[in-house]
Amino acid sequence: MTTTIAATAANTAAPGNADALRLNSGDPQERFLKLLVSQLRNQDPLNPLQNSEVTSQIAQISTVNGIERLNGAVQNMGANMLSAQSLQASSMIGRGVLAEGNRIQLSDGEAVGGFELAGPADKVVVTILDSGGHSVESLDLGRKTSGLSTFAWDGRPGEAQLADGTYSFKVEALRDNGTKVAVTTLGYGRVQSVSLDNGVILNTPTLGALALSSVRQIL
């Protein structure tokens, strides 16, 4: 019966065999070659290994080695991409971003927010809410096309200037026939720092921790 590499490995690793430690050390390709040579030396002369068997076993280790190299290349590529993203994200510190949410920051009489419409709307109204959920002002933005839009708010619903701080908002979009258009609100956050946690994370005071991929627009 033809001796297999697995059987050769078992015999070679048996107590008293001086080559056992050497065969159990090193990389998989080196161990395979040593086992193959040992198998060829110890084969049955009356039933030697066929060329096809040797070729098949060499092809198997080549495949395993190729997969290991591919895995290493993919891991290196992932690390390089993460490093590049981190470098890119660090340049966003101090910048404003829009991401899914409904909170905006009023500072020195300026606040910015956004929304995304699933379709065109004939009337879009943004309602600004204070920390208690009470309406403080409504902004009639008129007609808007589908897609992403932004709005600005000065924090002056009347003569008095409202205090700086975090506010929320809601958006209502309608067609002329009264049909509602689906809206996704986009809150505003200023990036204070960047961290790594299964990807690049942007830390903002208003929207919290944001994945870099969740940013819809940089302001």
Side-chain angles (χ1 to χ4, degrees), residues 97-106 111-115 126-132 151 153 165-171 184-190 204-210 219:
V97 296
L98 292 180
E100 191 168 337
N102 69 334
R103 305 182 76 181
I104 56 176
Q105 186 72 31
L106 180 64
V112 179
F115 55 89
V126 175
T127 303
I128 309 296
L129 310 169
D130 62 18
S131 58
F151 66 89
W153 179 53
T166 301
Y167 293 79
S168 60
F169 69 97
K170 60 183 180 180
V171 180
T184 299
T185 57
L186 303 175
Y188 173 89
R190 185 172 296 278
T204 70
T206 52
L207 300 177
L210 301 172
L219 302 176

Side-chain angles (χ1 to χ4, degrees), residues 20-208:
L21 292 178
R22 290 196 297 273
L23 287 172
N24 289 326
S25 62
D27 61 62
Q29 188 172 17
E30 182 181 358
R31 292 198 302 271
F32 172 84
L33 292 175
K34 288 181 178 179
L35 289 171
L36 181 58
V37 171
S38 178
Q39 181 181 2
L40 291 173
R41 286 176 177 173
N42 294 284
Q43 64 182 322
D44 184 354
L46 301 178
N47 186 23
L49 281 174
Q50 300 298 315
N51 289 339
S52 59
E53 293 180 277
V54 176
T55 302
S56 174
Q57 294 187 29
I58 292 176
Q60 289 177 28
I61 190 60
S62 297
T63 300
V64 172
N65 189 52
I67 292 175
E68 289 180 347
R69 291 177 181 272
L70 179 61
N71 288 338
V74 171
Q75 289 176 356
N76 289 335
M77 185 184 303
N80 290 336
M81 289 180 62
L82 185 59
S83 177
Q85 285 183 330
S86 301
L87 184 61
Q88 178 186 13
S90 65
S91 67
M92 295 174 61
I93 294 177
R95 301 284 299 275
V97 296
L98 292 180
E100 191 168 337
N102 69 334
R103 305 182 76 181
I104 56 176
Q105 186 72 31
L106 180 64
S107 177
D108 296 327
E110 295 182 355
V112 179
F115 55 89
E116 189 166 15
L117 299 178
D122 300 305
K123 182 180 178 66
V124 176
V125 176
V126 175
T127 303
I128 309 296
L129 310 169
D130 62 18
S131 58
H134 305 106
S135 173
V136 296
E137 187 171 5
S138 291
L139 308 175
D140 189 342
L141 304 184
R143 296 176 181 272
K144 291 290 181 182
T145 58
S146 60
L148 191 151
S149 297
T150 60
F151 66 89
W153 179 53
D154 60 8
R156 277 185 175 274
E159 294 297 325
Q161 174 69 52
L162 294 178
D164 288 353
T166 301
Y167 293 79
S168 60
F169 69 97
K170 60 183 180 180
V171 180
E172 184 177 38
L174 300 171
R175 302 296 299 272
D176 281 337
N177 60 7
T179 302
K180 289 186 176 182
V181 178
V183 183
T184 299
T185 57
L186 303 175
Y188 173 89
R190 185 172 296 278
V191 180
Q192 290 186 326
S193 63
V194 175
S195 57
L196 298 178
D197 184 10
N198 293 324
V200 178
I201 302 297
L202 308 178
N203 301 302
T204 70
T206 52
L207 300 177

